[in-house]
Amino acid sequence: MLRVKKIIGQKKKWVDLRIIIITFLFFLSQIIRGNIRLKYFLRVLKRLLFFLSMMKHNKYIRIGRKIKINLYVPAFPSRAFFTACYKVAEFENKMPSVTALVSITSACRFNCKHCYQKFDKGKDIELNLLTDTINKLQDMGIAFFNIEGGEPFIVFDRLLEVCKTIDNRSEILINSTGDGMTYEKLAELKKLKNLYGIMFSLHTSHAEGLNEFMGSDHAFNTLENGIGLCHEAGIPVTFNSCIMKEEFYDGTFEKVMDRAKKFNGAILQLIKPKPAGGWLESGTDNFSEEDIKVVYEKTRKYNQDKDFMDYPFIVPMAIEESKELFGCTAGGTDRFYLNAKGDVQPCEFLNISFGNINNEPFEMIYDKMRQHFEVPGDCLLCEEYSKNIYDIFKQHKLDSLPLPPDLSAKVYGQWNRGEPSDFYRKIEKI
């Protein structure tokens, strides 16, 4: 089994110091090579130091010789890590996106209640068009690719080709239920060197609950089998967990963490329930300020207290997207989504499209989207405008999502993104 080492306290401070020194030397070399202007050198370093200060509540993860300080920041030291660093080296234009979530297929044998692709009907885009777009994404500075489906392992030839297209300028994380996974397939992916791990869905701690949530009697067994195969192949195991509000109070959260620890998970992303896809009509429970405080305190305890040292590093969406931290980073301000049929969406939870790469060049669609996403705001668009999206969906008697570009314009043409998040408001001034 792959050894996962957790880093907190004083050891984490030594890691920070190492990151600072090596990053300083890296950008010094970039000045010598003419890749960055001297007048920006100190500002870049100050921006990077400011970002690193935002990681003070995180638990770091060491796997082999590399360390993860955040889910969407590539492992340090790596070429992909420095690709991500270049985000803050932009002073004359918008800071670029560094993360892309890419769905390579809509094929899936599960039926998850919350699936944000519930109504994403259509043919998967041609593989050549997809890989050409992946090349463009790398050239524009994407440092982290989150590859998903549907279920990518049931179209493995397609998955392998996409991953082979991504060179070491970027890091790869693959989302999977475990369906279709084999040791041989994992061994092929591991040869690529820039695969960080496989992310499994762990929404509850027991088999019956997970089977019910994912709409399959085999979901938990498939999950266990997939986790075992990853450990056998030496590939890190990570999790995402969609925890309901009441489950932070009734002990479910703690049971999920115990299960994730037993599975030797490295990272667990807490997905805040979103009114998208399968939950677009019904909506989800709102998290009050008090609820967010409960999530924050539980996260702090598991990430920082010595008693919870051996538990996975928790990445809580509800906190990372808060006004006090990064806000809504959709639309290419930090991340965006390319769905399986070619729609360019601000994020996976916002069921609108700015265009489809089958019909328009990716660059044109992306530039149009960025016009409406200058910097991250404190308005969570997927929550604020879900009712508008659903009303348009029903009014026009559509049978698929996201909304087509002309109808999507009715949503983003009049929205209010709120104020810039604290992090981006401050970093723009550095």
Side-chain angles (χ1 to χ4, degrees):
M1 182 179 291
L2 190 67
R3 185 166 181 262
V4 177
K5 183 178 179 181
K6 281 76 173 188
I7 303 171
I8 63 172
Q10 186 60 44
K11 290 183 178 180
K12 182 180 163 187
K13 292 179 181 178
W14 284 112
V15 171
D16 285 343
L17 181 60
R18 183 179 171 220
I19 291 173
I20 291 167
I21 293 171
I22 293 179
T23 303
F24 171 84
L25 294 174
F26 172 81
F27 278 101
L28 189 61
S29 72
Q30 297 307 296
I31 290 178
I32 296 170
R33 295 175 184 177
N35 294 332
I36 185 172
R37 298 169 69 178
L38 179 60
K39 71 175 185 177
Y40 293 140
F41 179 61
L42 288 179
R43 293 182 68 186
V44 169
L45 295 180
K46 288 179 180 178
R47 283 182 167 188
L48 288 170
L49 284 171
F50 179 56
F51 175 78
L52 192 60
S53 73
M54 297 293 104
M55 304 296 105
K56 62 185 178 183
H57 300 300
N58 291 359
K59 176 187 290 183
Y60 292 174
I61 303 295
R62 182 192 295 275
I63 300 176
R65 299 176 63 183
K66 294 182 180 179
I67 297 172
K68 289 286 284 188
I69 67 172
N70 181 277
L71 176 60
Y72 293 113
V73 175
F76 171 86
S78 67
R79 187 180 179 190
F81 177 85
F82 292 110
T83 301
C85 287
Y86 258 101
K87 177 182 178 72
V88 299
E90 179 58 67
F91 293 93
E92 297 172 6
N93 299 297
K94 298 182 183 77
M95 283 192 285
S97 177
V98 294
T99 301
L101 176 63
V102 179
S103 176
I104 65 167
T105 182
S106 59
C108 184
R109 291 189 278 242
F110 290 85
N111 187 26
C112 299
K113 290 181 178 180
H114 70 300
C115 183
Y116 49 81
Q117 299 178 28
K118 201 79 168 181
F119 301 102
D120 287 18
K121 301 173 183 176
K123 181 182 177 183
D124 293 347
I125 55 177
E126 294 296 328
L127 183 57
N128 287 342
L129 179 57
L130 179 56
T131 54
D132 286 347
T133 305
I134 293 287
N135 284 324
K136 293 177 181 178
L137 296 183
Q138 280 209 284
D139 290 342
M140 65 180 262
I142 296 298
F144 187 93
F145 282 92
N146 194 178
I147 306 297
E148 62 157 31
E151 173 48 64
F153 278 91
I154 63 177
V155 289
F156 182 70
D157 290 346
R158 189 175 175 90
L159 171 63
L160 184 61
E161 191 62 32
V162 167
C163 290
K164 283 182 176 179
T165 303
I166 303 170
D167 61 41
N168 67 358
R169 289 174 294 170
S170 310
E171 182 175 279
I172 302 170
L173 178 69
I174 300 172
N175 284 14
S176 177
T177 61
D179 190 14
M181 190 180 291
T182 66
Y183 176 82
E184 291 73 22
K185 292 177 181 179
L186 292 173
E188 278 293 307
L189 290 170
K190 190 179 179 184
K191 293 177 184 177
L192 302 178
K193 304 298 184 183
N194 58 340
L195 172 65
Y196 171 72
I198 308 295
M199 177 171 274
F200 296 91
S201 295
L202 185 67
H203 306 303
T204 186
S205 63
H206 57 282
E208 296 80 6
L210 189 72
N211 290 347
E212 195 273 333
F213 193 94
M214 297 182 70
S216 169
D217 293 338
H218 310 291
F220 194 84
N221 287 341
T222 303
L223 168 76
E224 281 192 308
N225 180 65
I227 291 170
L229 289 171
C230 285
H231 288 319
E232 184 181 354
I235 295 176
V237 169
T238 66
F239 297 106
N240 63 68
S241 190
C242 189
I243 301 286
M244 304 299 118
K245 182 173 70 174
E246 65 273 11
E247 292 176 333
F248 285 99
Y249 297 92
D250 66 7
T252 298
F253 167 77
E254 286 77 9
K255 291 176 182 178
V256 168
M257 291 304 300
D258 287 342
R259 176 66 73 172
K261 176 188 174 186
K262 183 179 179 181
F263 281 145
N264 195 34
I267 297 174
L268 184 141
Q269 182 187 30
L270 281 178
I271 297 179
K272 185 182 179 185
K274 296 290 188 178
W279 284 341
L280 182 62
E281 179 181 6
S282 63
T284 56
D285 291 338
N286 291 322
F287 280 62
S288 67
E289 289 187 14
E290 189 59 38
D291 297 327
I292 298 297
K293 288 179 182 178
V294 170
V295 176
Y296 175 84
E297 181 52 34
K298 288 179 182 290
T299 299
R300 186 210 61 76
K301 181 172 68 173
Y302 277 85
N303 280 351
Q304 298 180 45
D305 288 2
K306 290 183 179 180
D307 291 343
F308 297 89
M309 179 78 170
D310 294 331
Y311 284 82
F313 161 34
I314 301 175
V315 182
M317 180 184 290
I319 295 171
E320 293 219 333
E321 67 185 11
S322 67
K323 181 182 186 300
E324 292 73 26
L325 204 53
F326 301 116
C328 173
T329 60
T333 52
D334 198 56
R335 64 191 302 273
F336 66 96
Y337 178 49
L338 178 65
N339 78 8
K341 58 186 178 182
D343 287 297
V344 178
Q345 300 180 221
C347 93
E348 65 272 31
F349 301 115
L350 193 56
N351 299 138
I352 65 172
S353 170
F354 277 85
N356 190 291
I357 61 174
N358 284 298
N359 307 320
E360 301 175 75
F362 168 77
E363 298 91 335
M364 290 180 59
I365 301 171
Y366 183 79
D367 288 346
K368 179 170 61 176
M369 180 171 67
R370 282 307 307 263
Q371 291 174 17
H372 297 274
F373 291 88
E374 289 288 334
V375 296
D378 63 2
C379 176
L380 301 180
L381 300 171
C382 57
E383 298 179 11
E384 185 69 23
Y385 292 97
S386 62
K387 186 178 185 304
N388 302 58
I389 293 170
Y390 181 70
D391 287 346
I392 294 171
F393 177 73
K394 296 299 290 183
Q395 177 187 349
H396 290 268
K397 299 179 180 179
L398 302 176
D399 62 356
S400 68
L401 287 171
L403 298 180
D406 58 330
L407 296 180
S408 295
K410 294 185 177 182
V411 180
Y412 65 75
Q414 60 183 358
W415 67 22
N416 179 359
R417 296 203 59 226
E419 297 297 321
S421 62
D422 287 356
F423 173 81
Y424 278 90
R425 177 175 54 82
K426 292 175 181 177
I427 204 167
E428 289 278 354
K429 296 178 180 179
I430 296 176

